[in-house]
């Protein structure tokens, strides 16, 4: 048998299998999508946003995915076009014309990625600046403390019957002055210190529960007592590192009541997987009632927020609010 004949016979089994492979792929795609809610498709798998800031993050992801999809379609199209129109001839073997130093194409390969990266950088920088901006006086301030292997929450609030001053409390002394200055005056505060064995009483999900008021801006002051953790509330579509010796801060306004999952998103040691927590968004009235309940349990004042630092190190970043 001629070489060409053997090539044709070797291709036939693959051609017979191709319809079977395409059919199996179609069945798999349709079967896995039977229970999919097409109203959720624009989010492309992202959770439903539960804060006023989260849609900004979602739109940034959607734009990135759209750019990636367009680039992918272009690349796949060029590959398929090359495979079809530049495949080897069945009747003769020859070396196709070689093209080198095609300046227009090389310029296109260089300029196009620069344009894509520049556009993505612009929108990312714009949204990041907006998301990390801080208000002069937020309605609520919560110091989130990460430690092996759970989370603590210092509610820096004026709670009736609780005396103290968050600005002068030694347990909060690791927080830079520029953030202490924004704390409420004479805020005695309450706290909740979690352990891995805690459970949310309503859902049974593991970890302590952080309470937030719906419709009111909350500032999170993130500190760590040991290693680097990462504070991630999944439907916030946002996470930020919790670093010993460095305080990170951001603000959100919850706009949907419910109990949501949170976790540490930074590998922080052997029991990293147990650093789970819950976020319960309730009405402002129920939130204030919860603070009173913590005070009645004797959980007044604050737990230690971070590692000891000298004043120059603690206030090394001079940017003010």
């Amino acid at each position: 048998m001629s070489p060409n004949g053997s090539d044709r016979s070797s291709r036939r089994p693959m051609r017979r299998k191709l319809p079977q492979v395409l059919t199996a792929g179609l069945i798999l795609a349709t079967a896995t999508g039977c229970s999919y809610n097409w109203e959720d498709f624009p989010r492309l798998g992202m959770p439903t946003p539960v804060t006023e800031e989260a849609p900004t993050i979602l739109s940034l992801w959607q734009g990135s995915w759209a750019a990636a999809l367009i680039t992918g379609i272009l690349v796949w199209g060029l590959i398929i076009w090359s495979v079809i129109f530049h495949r080897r001839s069945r009747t003769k073997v020859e070396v196709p014309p070689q093209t080198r130093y095609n300046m227009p194409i090389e310029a296109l390969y260089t300029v196009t990625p620069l344009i894509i990266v520049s556009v993505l950088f612009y929108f990312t920088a714009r949204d990041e600046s907006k998301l990390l901006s801080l208000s002069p006086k937020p309605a609520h301030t919560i110091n989130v403390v990460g430690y092996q292997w759970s989370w603590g929450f210092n509610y820096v609030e004026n709670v009736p019957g609780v005396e103290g001053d968050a600005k002068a409390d030694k347990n909060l002394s690791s927080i830079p002055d520029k953030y202490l200055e924004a704390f409420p005056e004479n805020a005695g505060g309450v706290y909740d210190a979690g352990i891995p064995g805690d459970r949310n009483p309503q859902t049974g999900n593991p970890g302590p529960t952080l309470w937030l008021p719906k419709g009111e801006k909350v500032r999170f002051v993130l500190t760590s007592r040991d290693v680097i953790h990462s504070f991630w509330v999944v439907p916030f579509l946002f996470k930020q590192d919790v670093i010993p010796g460095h305080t990170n801060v951001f603000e959100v306004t919850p706009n949907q009541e419910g109990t949501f999952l949170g976790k540490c998103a930074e590998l922080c040691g052997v029991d990293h997987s147990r650093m789970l927590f819950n976020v319960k968004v309730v009405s402002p009235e129920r939130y204030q009632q919860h603070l009173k309940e913590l005070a009645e349990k004797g959980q007044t004042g604050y737990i230690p927020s971070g590692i000891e630092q000298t004043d120059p190190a603690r206030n090394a970043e001079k940017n003010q609010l």
Side-chain angles (χ1 to χ4, degrees), residues 53-246:
E53 294 77 12
T56 300
I57 304 172
L58 179 60
S59 66
L60 184 62
W61 277 106
Q62 290 169 326
S64 301
W65 286 329
L69 182 60
I70 293 172
T71 303
I73 291 174
L74 175 62
V75 172
W76 297 331
L78 291 174
I79 291 174
I80 295 172
W81 179 81
S82 299
V83 169
I84 294 175
F85 292 98
H86 294 281
R87 66 189 186 279
R88 195 181 72 173
S89 173
R90 296 182 180 179
T91 58
K92 57 183 178 179
V93 178
E94 62 181 8
V95 177
Q98 303 299 299
T99 302
R100 296 185 299 174
Y101 308 115
N102 189 315
M103 292 306 295
I105 292 180
E106 292 182 11
L108 177 66
Y109 289 165
T110 303
V111 173
T112 301
L114 289 176
I115 293 175
I116 294 173
V117 171
S118 299
V119 172
L120 291 176
F121 176 81
Y122 166 76
F123 286 106
T124 301
R126 182 198 65 180
D127 292 345
E128 181 182 16
S129 177
K130 178 181 178 181
L131 292 167
L132 296 181
S133 62
L134 301 178
S135 57
K137 292 290 183 180
H140 306 278
T141 300
I142 299 175
N143 171 216
V144 176
V145 185
Y147 50 84
Q148 297 171 320
W149 309 100
S150 193
W151 300 88
F153 309 116
N154 285 323
Y155 296 89
V156 185
E157 302 269 5
N158 287 301
V159 182
V162 179
E163 297 181 357
D165 185 3
K167 296 182 179 182
D169 194 294
K170 64 178 182 180
N171 286 326
L172 304 180
S173 60
S174 64
I175 298 174
D177 291 341
K178 62 181 179 180
Y179 301 130
L180 290 175
E181 292 171 358
F183 285 179
E185 297 291 338
N186 301 317
V190 292
Y191 70 87
D192 191 4
I195 60 173
D198 287 341
R199 294 273 175 177
N200 181 274
Q202 285 77 38
T203 64
N205 293 328
T209 300
L210 168 65
W211 289 59
L212 301 176
K214 177 184 176 182
E216 298 182 356
K217 188 174 290 294
V218 179
R219 174 178 296 177
F220 294 101
V221 179
L222 310 179
T223 56
S224 171
R225 296 207 303 236
D226 36 53
V227 300
I228 298 178
H229 304 282
S230 186
F231 181 71
W232 181 25
V233 183
V234 178
F236 283 10
L237 310 185
F238 182 91
K239 64 183 178 68
Q240 200 168 54
D241 283 348
V242 184
I243 304 173
H246 173 80

Side-chain angles (χ1 to χ4, degrees), residues 298-312:
Q299 296 174 214
T300 58
Y302 305 102
I303 61 174
S305 61
I307 62 174
E308 293 185 6
Q309 301 175 74
T310 62
D311 284 343

